[in-house]
Amino acid sequence: MAAGIREKQRVALKRMLNFNVPPVKNSTGEPVWKVLIYDRFGQDIISPLLSVKELRDMGITLHLLLHSDRDAIPDVPAVYFVMPTEENIDRMCQDLRNQLYESYYLNFISAISRSKLEDIANAALGANAVTQVAKVFDQYLNFITLEDDMFVLCNQNKELVSYRAINRPDITDTEMETIMDTIVDSLFCFFVTLGAIPIIRCSRGTAAEMVAVKLDKKLRENLRDARNSLFTGDTLGAGQFSFQRPLLVLVDRNIDLATPLHHTWTYQALVHDVLDFHLNRVNLEESTGAESSPAGARPKKKNKKSYDLTVSDKFWQKHKGSPFPEVAESVQQELESYRAQEDEVKRLKSIMGIEGEDEGAISMLSDNTAKLTSAVSSLPELLEKKRLIDLHTNVATAVLEHIKSRKLDVYFEYEEKIMSKSTLDKSLLDMISDPDAGTPEDKMRLFLIYYISSAQAPSEIDLEQYKKALTDAGCNLAPLSYIKQWKAFTKMASAPTSYGNTTPKPLGLLSRVMNTGSQFVMEGVKNLVLKQQNLPVTRILDNLMEMKSNPETDDYRYFDPKMLRGSESSVPRNKNPFQEAIVFVVGGGNYIEYQNLIDYIKGKQGKHILYGCSELFNATQFIKQLSQLGQK
Amino acid sequence: MAVDITLLFKASVKTVKTRNKALGVAAAGDNARDELLKRSAARSKSDFTGRAREVISHIGKLKDFLLQHRKDYINAYSHIMSDYVRMTDTERDQIDQDAQVFMRTCADAIHQLRTEAHKGVQSAQVKEHRTAVLDFIEDYLKRVCKLYSEQRAIRVKRVIDKKRLSRLEPEPSSASKSPLSPEKSSQNLLEDSEEKLSAEESKDRSLPDAQSNLGLWGDGKGEDELSPEEIQMFEQENQRLVGEMNNLFDEVRQIEGKVVEISRLQEIFTEKVLQQETDIDNIHQLVVGATENIKEGNEDIREVIPQSCVLNSFVSLHFQLCPSVAFNSTCELTQSTEQCVLGC
């Protein structure tokens, strides 16, 4: 796992695009061109990993959706990257019949069944195109890697595996089986790409347990099948030097419902919470200029801008986990250093102009030439830096606007206090009835967190009061009914709701930021310092990874696909702490948990964590799902 | 890890074939017609691909040609190499010219393909594809041209350095300012144009080195024709420099002589110092011996003292007062004993 999962998936994709031959570095190689055809799944997998420019570098002239109108382009090999579903297969057969391309390299995102393969064979025979089908591959890449250490299962059909789908009261067994199969298939692909067989631990009696049982079975079957095993020999990779196997912790969303609703303060989580952000792309609406439109004219047109926040964006990588005021300051600093560099280049330009009349300056001239060439070569770097600064300025400004209008800092602080069970200086009722703090959704979130974290339910009278206040503020009470049910089910609510006993310290108004004339005028926004506290998921991971004994996790089941006989026991065979762990949340996850895990593992040397979830939602989407569940 | 199921696919094809045969399904009856259709359609469009591939193979040939002669092109500068490996300048110029002609024809071919590519094609996708293909070919050409320009740049740089060394650099001395200023200004002009070219080329997209190379060649030609004034100035400067050189030479000689003397004197000095060392050693030995003698003398006197009460206090006083100072005590004691002896 020394190379992150992101790198591994990228390498696999590049190899696939190179006709399944490992690419050779050759700066003066002859160009080869090809066409890439993908479906929506393939698009979601490829887009966070390879940019259009990189696709071009690999020789791809066109990239098209499978189900679009495609014209025949002869003399061109076509690389397909699709899921083996019925409609995709049909469309591919149609392509074969229509002789669209010269040769076909078929790559299926997850394994294709024999019968579907025969369908393609049939179509190829019918079109007399069997020789054109050059290669067929099962890629086992059915998961989306967003960060070096974070992955989600899917984006397209997340309705199918959403929290709501799993926790619906009216779900049938077959539907559950399908959902579990989808999840297990993706997890299996993940481990094939990773090249490691994990030790699985999961809690009892949850959806996570079902996933664990199925995954264990699938891995076991694959290992036994010596001929076709995906985990033998070179697939384990030369980099697999650790003797330790990774730990897979499967948790269910239901152990911690408060975190997805929580208001957050770190950059990446804020962007996800407040703006339209998925698959590492954020879409902003920018209002054009500050001129007020003359009376009666059309309203100001809003530009839609979308930015990619990628691995190559150094500022993002450095600050995506930082608290927001720090981000604002850093943007300022970057801007200043960029301006200094720009001035340097301008100065050189002016020097060059004067240079001609100066005597005895020939030696200095060559020195300045060197300076000029270095300045010129650093120009693209400067431009890139400027672009990033602009990008982050826009994004951070948008986030800040939301924070100010909804008073998110107040909510954050309050929720932290609730979750850590410290004294509250303002009563909940006041917060809810406060008209200019936050949208109804914010208030709902706050109340739900309070409800979830309180050891006993508030009295009927209080509840009525709260309900009235919430309805006055315009909230929909459906989520509340669901949470009540949930609370009734999970009687062990006492343990997971202790979120640690630290409180955030407000550092008062950020006068320093204001004094530097920053664009980010953070008046009235508190500079809250995030103290390190472990969320429930992090705590569970800590217990399991360090083999600590804890009543919460002692009861977890233990699976080892490499053992000959599975056991029902939960006694782990391995007594040593694990070096690598993968946390997977069945039912959905979010960036707050991810950030918390990253912070936790930063303190430990030489340990790695991967975070995955079946879908990624922000609080808005989660509330929607809860409402739907509550309405039933 | 991807799994190659091509063989599985081929096996499926066989299964389907046998199944179809068994079921009596007509297998690819329209074979011949399809083939014809395919061929005719392919022929019109494969012109583009065929020509694109031709251009690529041409560029490949250029690349091979450049790489083949690259070693000779660059290495032959070290004149230590044997004769038959060395490449003359004319040969190099020939290579440069050929390469340039070649590159131009390739660029023209690409350009032509570009204009023709969009004719007779309805589909937007095919157009886009062809544009991208042509971009790739152009990129390939650029990379190969880079090879060429790199080695050319090395060659030109060496020539410039040689010329710079051979050209006499003006010194910033006030005396020779005026006759040298026109020369300097001409040099300045050359440098300026050089720098201006290099400044311009950075904005230019196309091969920057080629341009600057051409510019330098252009300026080089002007340099070769020296006007008579310049010749005279050069001669004057030559003579002045020769005189300076002679002076320096004499000075160096003098300094040499002085240095030789100094070294001799230093030798003598070290000798003397060594002699002194031995002398001091001797003296040290003598002193040590003298101290011993005095000590013995003191003891003897001490034995004698109790027999004479006059000397008692005198000698004991001296004895206590200065027991360690060798000479002093020796002198005093001898003096006092003399006195005592004389007195008694």
Side-chain angles (χ1 to χ4, degrees), chain A residues 452-553:
Chain A
I452 294 171
S453 342
S454 55
Q456 69 256 48
S459 64
E460 274 303 312
I461 314 164
D462 282 341
L463 199 57
E464 282 308 314
Q465 245 188 336
Y466 288 131
K467 275 194 187 168
K468 189 167 163 316
L470 285 168
T471 354
D472 283 342
C475 310
N476 176 10
L477 288 177
L480 185 57
S481 44
Y482 175 73
I483 296 286
K484 270 197 207 158
Q485 290 173 9
W486 170 80
K487 212 156 175 178
F489 276 143
T490 53
K491 269 306 172 184
M492 54 180 182
S494 49
T497 54
S498 62
Y499 288 86
N501 39 16
T502 55
T503 53
K505 290 206 205 33
L507 291 182
L509 295 171
L510 250 194
S511 53
R512 194 159 49 103
V513 173
M514 277 161 58
N515 286 343
T516 55
S518 146
Q519 293 174 276
F520 300 100
V521 181
M522 311 238 321
E523 334 169 308
V525 172
K526 300 188 190 175
N527 183 18
L528 299 168
V529 173
L530 272 183
K531 290 292 276 284
Q532 177 61 21
Q533 56 185 18
N534 283 343
L535 295 176
V537 172
T538 319
R539 254 201 350 265
I540 292 176
L541 176 72
D542 183 42
N543 290 337
L544 289 173
M545 209 160 152
E546 305 290 340
M547 315 299 277
K548 288 185 197 162
S549 167
N550 187 305
E552 210 180 346
T553 54

Side-chain angles (χ1 to χ4, degrees), chain A residues 555-566:
Chain A
D555 196 33
Y556 272 41
R557 287 192 66 182
Y558 177 87
F559 293 97
D560 184 352
K562 272 192 170 166
M563 284 198 321
L564 283 171
R565 240 177 326 124

Side-chain angles (χ1 to χ4, degrees), chain A residues 6 80-81 120 140 192 201 248 396 422 439 443 453 467 499 555 562 564 573 595-596 601:
Chain A
R6 187 175 178 278
Y80 281 74
F81 185 56
I120 305 183
Y140 291 100
V192 170
R201 304 221 52 191
L248 171 64
S422 50
T439 62
K443 296 180 180 156
S453 342
K467 275 194 187 168
Y499 288 86
D555 196 33
K562 272 192 170 166
L564 283 171
R573 290 283 220 82
Q595 198 54 48
N596 199 265
I601 210 67

Side-chain angles (χ1 to χ4, degrees), chain A residues 10 109 163 195 210 386 509:
Chain A
R10 252 174 78 102
I109 300 177
Y163 177 77
M210 295 175 67
K386 172 131 206 313
L509 295 171

Side-chain angles (χ1 to χ4, degrees), chain B residues 27-63:
Chain B
D30 308 336
N31 229 346
R33 194 165 61 88
D34 279 340
E35 293 270 356
L36 273 170
L37 274 174
K38 240 195 291 176
R39 232 177 287 141
S40 59
R43 211 185 306 128
S44 60
K45 288 173 188 163
S46 70
D47 278 345
F48 174 78
T49 328
R51 279 155 66 191
R53 293 229 177 265
E54 267 180 44
V55 176
I56 290 183
S57 65
H58 277 204
I59 301 177
K61 280 195 209 130
L62 171 66
K63 176 181 78 165

Side-chain angles (χ1 to χ4, degrees), chain B residues 56-326:
Chain B
I56 290 183
S57 65
H58 277 204
I59 301 177
K61 280 195 209 130
L62 171 66
K63 176 181 78 165
D64 293 335
F65 174 70
L66 284 175
L67 283 174
Q68 200 182 11
H69 294 284
R70 186 170 219 194
K71 215 161 166 249
D72 293 336
Y73 193 93
I74 296 181
N75 269 355
Y77 264 100
S78 59
H79 299 279
I80 314 167
M81 303 278 282
S82 57
D83 280 327
Y84 66 90
V85 176
R86 204 192 300 183
M87 210 188 251
T88 61
D89 266 343
T90 40
E91 279 179 14
R92 277 193 208 97
D93 284 338
Q94 182 71 28
I95 291 181
D96 285 347
Q97 237 181 351
D98 287 342
Q100 278 184 349
V101 163
F102 216 93
M103 285 193 275
R104 225 167 279 146
T105 39
C106 289
D108 285 339
I110 296 177
H111 194 67
Q112 211 183 9
L113 269 179
R114 226 182 252 279
T115 45
E116 285 190 15
H118 295 278
K119 289 188 206 158
V121 169
Q122 293 93 340
S123 139
Q125 286 177 2
V126 177
K127 277 193 199 150
E128 204 184 318
H129 167 73
R130 288 189 179 177
T131 332
V133 166
L134 288 168
D135 285 340
F136 286 158
I137 302 181
E138 234 179 36
D139 196 47
Y140 184 42
L141 182 63
K142 272 203 194 118
R143 277 180 279 144
V144 171
C145 292
K146 215 168 135 204
L147 276 178
Y148 160 73
S149 59
E150 270 170 12
Q151 63 190 43
R152 186 112 189 269
I154 295 175
R155 179 187 173 197
V156 168
K157 190 168 177 290
R158 289 205 181 143
V159 173
I160 294 177
D161 286 342
K162 245 206 264 181
K163 288 222 161 165
R164 198 178 280 187
L165 283 172
S166 59
R167 194 198 311 151
L168 299 169
E169 286 287 326
E171 287 178 21
S173 52
S174 50
S176 46
K177 238 188 202 170
S178 34
L180 288 173
S181 52
E183 180 196 51
K184 251 195 262 176
S185 64
S186 68
Q187 276 182 3
N188 270 341
L189 255 156
L190 288 168
E191 301 282 18
D192 262 10
S193 52
E194 208 179 318
E195 302 317 334
K196 280 211 185 91
L197 273 171
S198 61
E200 277 174 10
E201 84 195 12
S202 64
K203 297 174 199 157
D204 212 344
R205 282 267 210 88
S206 62
L207 315 165
D209 287 318
Q211 264 201 344
S212 69
N213 295 349
L214 289 168
L216 283 160
W217 287 127
D219 285 329
K221 285 210 189 75
E223 190 183 61
D224 287 338
E225 301 154 358
L226 296 168
S227 56
E229 296 104 26
E230 283 182 338
I231 294 175
Q232 203 186 12
M233 273 194 300
F234 281 144
E235 271 187 26
Q236 279 180 8
E237 208 190 348
N238 278 354
Q239 284 177 1
R240 188 181 59 83
L241 282 168
V242 163
E244 273 190 39
M245 284 291 167
N246 285 333
N247 288 344
L248 281 172
F249 193 62
D250 289 339
E251 274 179 37
V252 164
R253 272 281 167 76
Q254 280 182 3
I255 292 173
E256 259 185 48
K258 288 196 181 140
V259 166
V260 164
E261 265 197 51
I262 289 174
S263 63
R264 251 188 328 112
L265 288 171
Q266 266 204 329
E267 267 185 52
I268 299 172
F269 179 63
T270 38
E271 265 182 49
K272 296 287 178 211
V273 167
L274 285 171
Q275 275 180 15
Q276 270 195 359
E277 195 190 339
T278 45
D279 288 339
I280 291 175
D281 274 341
N282 288 340
I283 294 173
H284 177 66
Q285 297 287 348
L286 288 173
V287 164
V288 166
T291 330
E292 302 265 348
N293 293 341
I294 290 168
K295 276 202 188 129
E296 283 173 18
N298 282 347
E299 285 180 22
D300 292 339
I301 290 173
R302 229 185 291 128
E303 285 168 20
V304 168
I305 285 171
Q307 296 168 16
S308 140
C309 53
V310 178
L311 288 174
N312 243 352
S313 50
F314 208 66
V315 169
S316 61
L317 207 64
H318 277 275
F319 185 72
Q320 278 158 17
L321 281 177
C322 30
S324 58
V325 179

